[in-house]
Amino acid sequence: MAATTSAPVRTTDGIDVDQLHAFTRALCRGDFSFRFAIAPGMSWKAEEVAIGLNRHLEQMQQLLVEVSRVCDELGSSGELGPQVEHTFDTGQWKHVVDAINRMAANLTKQLRDMNRSARCMASGDYTRPITCDCRGETLELKTALNTVMDRQRPDAAG
């Protein structure tokens, strides 16, 4: 039995439907390494679509690397101050990047303020309360540390 090969199915603009299918499957799996091939004879529209999709995947891959870096530095390594570095100027991706950067900046500010106060307490100085804005469990920690500080101040002993 002879093997049959078929030519790639293309849209009227020359986009390879099999490649498009592979692209969408890769994207759904979170695989941003797929790249559209720019084939000879593609229409300018098909070429622009391929270039645009490739650019989008490259941006997604860069964003993934950056977000992972910030999470690793802040959450695992305990390094304060990391920020996602990316070039999204508008849209929802910019919103996501800005939100991650705000979160990292807020955590950094809160932890540095608490660290300064804790170091002061460790050296016997109970005059440097934690002053940063906090909410939730961070506020509970701030309140507990400031209460310890208040109770240890010499002028608080009555």
Side-chain angles (χ1 to χ4, degrees), residues 22-87:
F23 165 82
T24 55
R25 289 183 54 93
L27 187 60
C28 289
R29 285 190 317 269
D31 176 3
F32 304 128
S33 64
F34 183 90
R35 295 297 180 265
F36 258 94
I38 309 295
M42 284 178 100
S43 71
W44 64 271
K45 275 186 188 177
E47 192 170 326
E48 281 188 10
V49 167
I51 290 169
L53 291 172
N54 287 344
R55 187 176 306 129
H56 177 70
L57 287 174
E58 288 165 9
Q59 286 180 323
M60 297 305 301
Q61 195 167 28
Q62 290 169 0
L63 180 61
L64 179 67
V65 167
E66 278 296 296
V67 169
S68 296
R69 179 187 61 78
V70 168
C71 290
D72 287 344
E73 287 179 17
L74 188 60
S76 300
S77 301
E79 297 175 37
L80 300 178
Q83 294 283 290
V84 173
E85 297 173 13
H86 210 277
T87 58

Side-chain angles (χ1 to χ4, degrees), residues 82-155:
Q83 294 283 290
V84 173
E85 297 173 13
H86 210 277
T87 58
F88 289 112
D89 296 329
T90 60
Q92 292 301 311
W93 291 116
K94 181 183 183 335
H95 175 73
V96 168
V97 168
D98 289 348
I100 292 167
N101 284 341
R102 274 192 311 277
M103 177 193 63
N106 287 338
L107 283 172
T108 296
K109 181 179 178 185
Q110 292 168 354
L111 288 171
R112 284 183 177 158
D113 192 32
M114 289 180 193
N115 186 30
R116 277 191 292 273
S117 293
R119 284 195 317 233
C120 287
M121 283 193 285
S123 68
D125 177 3
Y126 298 99
T127 61
R128 178 30 179 106
I130 300 164
T131 58
C132 62
D133 290 330
C134 299
R135 293 185 203 133
E137 292 181 54
T138 326
L139 177 59
E140 291 175 19
L141 179 59
K142 171 186 171 180
T143 302
L145 290 172
N146 281 342
T147 300
V148 168
M149 192 176 299
D150 288 343
R151 290 182 181 160
Q152 295 299 317
R153 261 199 311 258
D155 63 341

